Amino acid sequence: MSGSGTTADGDPPLQTAVWRLRSRACWTDAAALLEPHAASDPAAAIQRTALLTERCLYTGEGWTDAEDALRSTEALARSDDERGGAACERGHLAYASTLLGVRDRADEASVALSRAAALLAPTAPGRPLLDFRRGLIAQNIADSPQSARAAYRRAHAGAAARGDELLLSFTWRHLAALALQEGELAEARHGFAESLRIREELGYLVGTAPALISLAEAEPEPEAADRLRAEAGRLFRLLGGVPTWLAPHLGVPGPRPAAAS
C-alpha cells in the first residue's frame, strides 16, 4: 500500500490514525480501525488488505488474516479499478509468501499482477504502485534487473506525478539497489539517501531501519557505515525486532534477508 495513509494536510482523522499506527508497525490495530468501513467500502477493504499483507512481509506472520481480508476485498470489488486494486493486492501477498519462503506462489503473483495491469487504466491512481510491485517480481523472483529497472522507473515517474512521497522512497531504494549491484556507488548512495530522507520526513519509522542499512552498504567510510548500522539496530530493537528479515544485517539470528521494502 506504499503511499497511502500519510499524514498530509487535510487528511481525514481516520487516515491520520491509520498512518500513525502503520508507521510504528501496529498493522493489526490500523486494520481494526478500517474494519467497519471495509465491510462495504472497496477502497477501505483494499487498504485493510494492504496493511495486513505488509504485516506479513515485515513479520512473517498473519497470513490467514491477510488471505481472509483479500477474499473479502475481491468479493466487494465491482468496477475495473476496484478489481484491479484487489488483483494487485493478491499479487503482492503471493509475492510476499514466495519471497519469505512460506509457499512458492510466484506464478500466482505474476498472473494476478498481469490481471491488475489489464484492469487498471494507464492513468489510474493505483498504476504506479502496480508498476513498483511488478518491479519487485522482476528483481527478486524472476532475477531480471533490466525489467525491474524499467518497472521501477515507471513507478517512480508515476509517484512523482502524483506526489506520492512514500512510494518514491521505495522506488529510490530499489533503483539504488540495482545501481549498487552494478557498481554505481555514487548513484546508489544518492538513491539510498533520498529514500532515507523521505522516510524520516514522513515519520515512516518501520521503514527507516532498512533505509539506514541500505545506505550503510553504499557508504565508503567504515565509521559512517557503522553509525548508520548502529542507528538501524536501535530502531530495530525499539520496534521489537521488526522487520524480521533485517536481523541478519544486524548480526541477529533470524530469517534470510530480503529486499522487501
Side-chain angles (χ1 to χ4, degrees), residues 45 67 69-78 83 86-87 90 115:
E67 290 283 358
L70 175 60
R71 283 193 290 270
S72 297
T73 297
E74 290 172 331
L76 199 60
R78 294 291 181 268
R83 288 193 292 268
R90 175 164 291 283
R115 181 169 187 267

Side-chain angles (χ1 to χ4, degrees), residues 181-235:
Q181 289 175 5
E182 296 176 352
E184 299 292 339
L185 192 61
E187 181 181 346
R189 193 160 58 247
H190 173 69
F192 288 140
E194 283 296 294
S195 178
L196 176 61
R197 176 188 62 79
I198 293 170
R199 291 181 180 197
E200 288 180 334
E201 289 178 355
L202 293 177
Y204 186 51
L205 192 62
V206 72
T208 300
L212 286 163
I213 289 294
S214 292
L215 184 56
E217 292 175 352
E219 176 54 59
E221 296 294 332
E223 290 185 3
D226 287 345
R227 286 195 297 271
L228 291 167
R229 291 190 180 94
E231 177 61 12
R234 185 187 71 81
L235 290 173

Side-chain angles (χ1 to χ4, degrees), residues 115-142:
R115 181 169 187 267
L119 288 166
L120 293 175
T123 57
R127 195 77 193 203
L129 179 58
L130 170 62
D131 286 332
F132 173 70
R133 289 175 172 175
R134 297 184 88 177
L136 292 176
I137 295 286
Q139 181 183 7
N140 296 321
I141 294 180

Side-chain angles (χ1 to χ4, degrees), residues 24-148:
R24 290 160 176 77
C26 300
W27 297 283
T28 303
D29 292 339
L33 291 181
L34 289 170
E35 189 167 5
H37 307 275
S40 58
D41 180 358
I46 289 171
Q47 187 180 7
R48 182 170 179 269
T49 299
L51 283 167
L52 293 172
T53 298
E54 189 169 88
R55 176 194 175 199
C56 295
L57 192 58
Y58 278 66
T59 69
E61 300 176 350
W63 300 97
T64 299
D65 290 342
E67 290 283 358
D68 289 346
L70 175 60
R71 283 193 290 270
S72 297
T73 297
E74 290 172 331
L76 199 60
R78 294 291 181 268
S79 69
D80 281 352
D81 275 359
E82 292 164 0
R83 288 193 292 268
C88 189
E89 294 308 323
R90 175 164 291 283
H92 194 48
L93 183 58
Y95 161 78
S97 176
T98 304
L99 186 73
L100 298 184
V102 176
R103 184 158 62 90
D104 186 350
R105 299 171 60 181
D107 289 345
E108 179 187 350
S110 296
V111 169
L113 294 186
S114 293
R115 181 169 187 267
L119 288 166
L120 293 175
T123 57
R127 195 77 193 203
L129 179 58
L130 170 62
D131 286 332
F132 173 70
R133 289 175 172 175
R134 297 184 88 177
L136 292 176
I137 295 286
Q139 181 183 7
N140 296 321
I141 294 180
D143 192 23
S144 177
Q146 290 185 340
S147 296

